[in-house]
C-alpha cells in the first residue's frame, strides 16, 4: 500500500516574540473602515498579510450614512449606501482580515513595529495605513451644539425620517447639501437650502434635480447666523450677504452640509500635514514615515469620491506589501524606538 507523506509547510511565525492574535503583531494595521481602509484590507488580506482593521464606530464609513450611491462603477442602477458599506465589509472579511469596531486613541510612529493604542487594547503593526476619513464640518453658530442630535444633524439618512410633513433647512451648496436635500423631500413638506453664494457648488446633475423638485426652495447669498429654539428647533436666523437683510426661516430640523474636515488630530507631530490638516503623501500613498501609508478622504481635499478612496486604498496596500518585502528582521521588542 502506498504510504502518503503529507507535509505541511511550516507556518511563518511573527518576526518578533509576539504572536499575531488578540493584541499582537500584524503585518498591517489599517486605521479606518471606510471604502479606502476596507479596499486596502481586501488587497492586504488577499496578499496574505496578517491584517487588522480598526473600523471606528461607523463600519463601512460615509456610505453607511448615505441614501443612494449612483456613481460607484458596476452599479448602473445605483446602490443603497448602507448596502455598499456592508459589501465592502463582507469583501474584506472574505480574505481573513480581522475587523474590530474600535478606534485608535494614540499612535506611536517612532517605535518599530508601530504601536497603536485603543481604549481597549494595544496593537503592533509592521506597517500602518491611515484611512481615518473626514467628518462633517460644523457651522460654528449659536444653537448648533445645543441642538446637535436633537434637531440639528449632518445625516439625512439617519434622521430624515423624523421630519415627515415637517419643514427643514439644509445649509450648504455642494453635492452633499443638494443630494441630501433631495433625499429629505421624501419626508419633509418643504426643504429650504441656504447657501452663502449666489452660485451652487454642486455638480450639474444635482443642481438640475434640486431645481426641478417642487419641495425645494433656495435662499442664495444667505448665511445662517443662529439656530433658534426653546426645547426643540424652531428655525434659523439668516442674513442676506448682498442686502444685509435679516430674517427667520421657520423649520423643525436643520441639516448641515458645509464640507468635511480630515480626521488627523491623532497624527499631528508625527505625520506631515498640510495647512488644512490633510496628511501629505506622494503618488504611492507614502507619508513622511517609512512604513506608514495613507488613503482616502484623510489625504484628499479635492475629489472625495468612493471610487477614488477605494483606489488609493488599493495603492496603499500594494505599497505596504512591497515595504514588508524588505522589512528588517525585527529582533527588537515591539515598541522599541527606531534608530
Ligand atoms: P463641499 O463640496 O466642500 O461643499 C461644501 C459647501 O458648504 C459649499 O457650497 C460651501 O460654500 C459651503 N460652506 C463651507 N463652509 C461654510 C460655512 N462656514 N458657512 C456656510 N457655507 C459653507 O462639501 P460636500 O458637499 O460635503 O462634498 C464633499 C465631497 O464629496 C465633494 O467632493 C463632493 O463632490 C463629494 N460628494 C459626492 C457625491 C456624489 O458624487 N454622489 C455626493 C456627495 C458628496 P462655497 O461653495 O461658497 O465654498
Amino acid at each position: 500500500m502506498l504510504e502518503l507523506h503529507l507535509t505541511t509547510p511550516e507556518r511563518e511565525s511573527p518576526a518578533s516574540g509576539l504572536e499575531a492574535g488578540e493584541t499582537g503583531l500584524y503585518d498591517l494595521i489599517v486605521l479606518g473602515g471606510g471604502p479606502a481602509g476596507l479596499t486596502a484590507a481586501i488587497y492586504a488580506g488577499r496578499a496574505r498579510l496578517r491584517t487588522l482593521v480598526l473600523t471606528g464606530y461607523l463600519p463601512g464609513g460615509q456610505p453607511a450614512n448615505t441614501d443612494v450611491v449612483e456613481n460607484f462603477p458596476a452599479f448602473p442602477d445605483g446602490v443603497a449606501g448602507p448596502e455598499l458599506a456592508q459589501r465592502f465589509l463582507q469583501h474584506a472579511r472574505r480574505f481573513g482580515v480581522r475587523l474590530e469596531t474600535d478606534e485608535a486613541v494614540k499612535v506611536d510612529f517612532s517605535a518599530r513595529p508601530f504601536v497603536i493604542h485603543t481604549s481597549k487594547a494595544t496593537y503592533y503593526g509592521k506597517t500602518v495605513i491611515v484611512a481615518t476619513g473626514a467628518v462633517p464640518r460644523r457651522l460654528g453658530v449659536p444653537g448648533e451644539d445645543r441642538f446637535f442630535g436633537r434637531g440639528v444633524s449632518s445625516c439625512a439618512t439617519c434622521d430624515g425620517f423624523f421630519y415627515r410633513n415637517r419643514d427643514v433647512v439644509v445649509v450648504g451648496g455642494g453635492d452633499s447639501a443638494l443630494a441630501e436635500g433631495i433625499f429629505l423631500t421624501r419626508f419633509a413638506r418643504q426643504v429650504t437650502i441656504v447657501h452663502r453664494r449666489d452660485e451652487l457648488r454642486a455638480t450639474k446633475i444635482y443642481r438640475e434635480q434640486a431645481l426641478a423638485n417642487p419641495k425645494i426652495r433656495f435662499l442664495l447669498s444667505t448665511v445662517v447666523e443662529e439656530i433658534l429654539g426653546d426645547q426643540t428647533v424652531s428655525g434659523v436666523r439668516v442674513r442676506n450677504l448682498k442686502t444685509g437683510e435679516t430674517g427667520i426661516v421657520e423649520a423643525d430640523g436643520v441639516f448641515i452640509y458645509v464640507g468635511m474636515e480630515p480626521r488627523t488630530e491623532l497624527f499631528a507631530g508625527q505625520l506631515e500635514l498640510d495647512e488644512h490638516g490633510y496628511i501629505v503623501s506622494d503618488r504611492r500613498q507614502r507619508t513622511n514615515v517609512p512604513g506608514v501609508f495613507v488613503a482616502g478622504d484623510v489625504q484628499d481635499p479635492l475629489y472625495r469620491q468612493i471610487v477614488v478612496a477605494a483606489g488609493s486604498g488599493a495603492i496603499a496596500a500594494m505599497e505596504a506589501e512591497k515595504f514588508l518585502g524588505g522589512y528588517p528582521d525585527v529582533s527588537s521588542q515591539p515598541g522599541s524606538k527606531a534608530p
Side-chain angles (χ1 to χ4, degrees):
M1 190 174 145
L2 187 69
E3 209 173 307
L4 284 177
H5 291 281
L6 294 177
T7 51
T8 315
E10 241 179 71
R11 282 246 177 109
E12 196 194 324
S13 60
S16 81
L18 270 178
E19 283 297 312
E22 272 302 291
T23 56
L25 177 71
Y26 289 86
D27 292 324
L28 170 65
I29 298 178
V30 181
L31 305 180
L38 292 171
T39 303
I42 291 164
Y43 274 70
R46 196 164 174 271
R48 302 284 186 264
L49 304 186
R50 280 185 296 265
T51 304
L52 167 71
V53 183
L54 299 176
T55 64
Y57 297 107
L58 184 62
Q62 291 178 54
N65 272 349
T66 304
D67 173 36
V68 66
V69 176
E70 287 192 326
N71 51 7
F72 194 71
F75 288 92
D77 301 321
V79 55
E83 183 191 336
L84 186 62
Q86 282 308 316
R87 283 175 177 268
F88 269 110
L89 290 160
Q90 214 179 326
H91 202 161
R93 271 191 212 104
R94 186 188 150 202
F95 291 116
V97 164
R98 179 179 172 198
L99 300 174
E100 283 293 322
T101 313
D102 196 359
E103 65 181 15
V105 293
K106 195 175 155 208
V107 300
D108 186 353
F109 292 154
S110 68
R112 298 291 178 277
F114 303 120
V115 188
I116 310 291
H117 300 276
T118 75
S119 54
K120 302 176 201 154
T122 299
Y123 301 100
Y124 300 89
K126 295 180 193 172
T127 60
V128 168
I129 294 177
V130 177
T132 45
V135 287
R137 183 181 291 139
R138 296 278 183 105
L139 255 186
V141 297
E144 184 181 29
D145 285 346
R146 188 173 151 225
F147 288 114
F148 211 90
R150 302 188 298 123
V152 176
S153 169
S154 285
C155 181
T157 317
C158 322
D159 300 326
F161 181 78
F162 299 118
Y163 298 95
R164 197 171 286 276
N165 294 321
R166 306 274 189 91
D167 295 335
V168 298
V169 161
V170 172
V171 189
D175 282 343
S176 298
L178 268 62
E180 303 304 323
I182 293 162
F183 171 70
L184 284 166
T185 61
R186 287 194 207 168
F187 311 100
R189 188 169 48 196
Q190 183 164 63
V191 175
T192 304
I193 297 182
V194 180
H195 178 44
R196 65 183 177 184
R197 286 188 298 136
D198 59 3
E199 201 183 322
L200 295 166
R201 177 180 293 275
T203 43
K204 198 169 176 210
I205 185 161
Y206 287 127
R207 290 201 311 266
E208 284 175 358
Q209 286 176 19
L211 288 166
N213 191 313
K215 282 189 173 180
I216 294 181
R217 65 172 186 151
F218 287 93
L219 282 183
L220 298 179
S221 305
T222 300
V223 289
V224 168
E225 290 192 320
E226 186 177 358
I227 295 168
L228 306 166
D230 185 9
Q231 294 303 313
T232 56
V233 167
S234 61
V236 294
R237 189 160 49 77
V238 294
R239 183 165 55 91
N240 184 301
L241 292 177
K242 285 190 172 159
T243 63
E245 214 180 321
T246 59
I248 288 174
V249 179
E250 289 184 3
D252 305 289
V254 180
F255 288 83
I256 296 171
Y257 289 106
V258 294
M260 309 293 289
E261 278 176 357
R263 293 187 65 201
T264 50
E265 48 306 333
L266 273 189
F267 315 110
Q270 302 196 59
L271 297 182
E272 191 188 339
L273 307 180
D274 73 10
E275 70 272 28
H276 301 293
Y278 289 87
I279 295 174
V280 174
S281 67
D282 65 9
R283 288 185 60 193
R284 293 165 60 182
Q285 305 306 132
R286 297 181 298 189
T287 68
N288 59 308
V289 176
V292 177
F293 304 86
V294 63
D297 285 9
V298 73
Q299 49 90 63
D300 175 14
L302 285 182
Y303 303 109
R304 294 175 292 191
Q305 301 295 307
I306 301 172
V307 67
V308 177
S312 67
I315 295 172
M318 287 190 281
E319 287 294 337
E321 189 189 356
K322 209 177 290 175
F323 181 88
L324 284 164
Y327 196 80
D329 203 19
V330 186
S331 48
S332 56
Q333 285 305 301
S336 64
K337 292 291 162 188

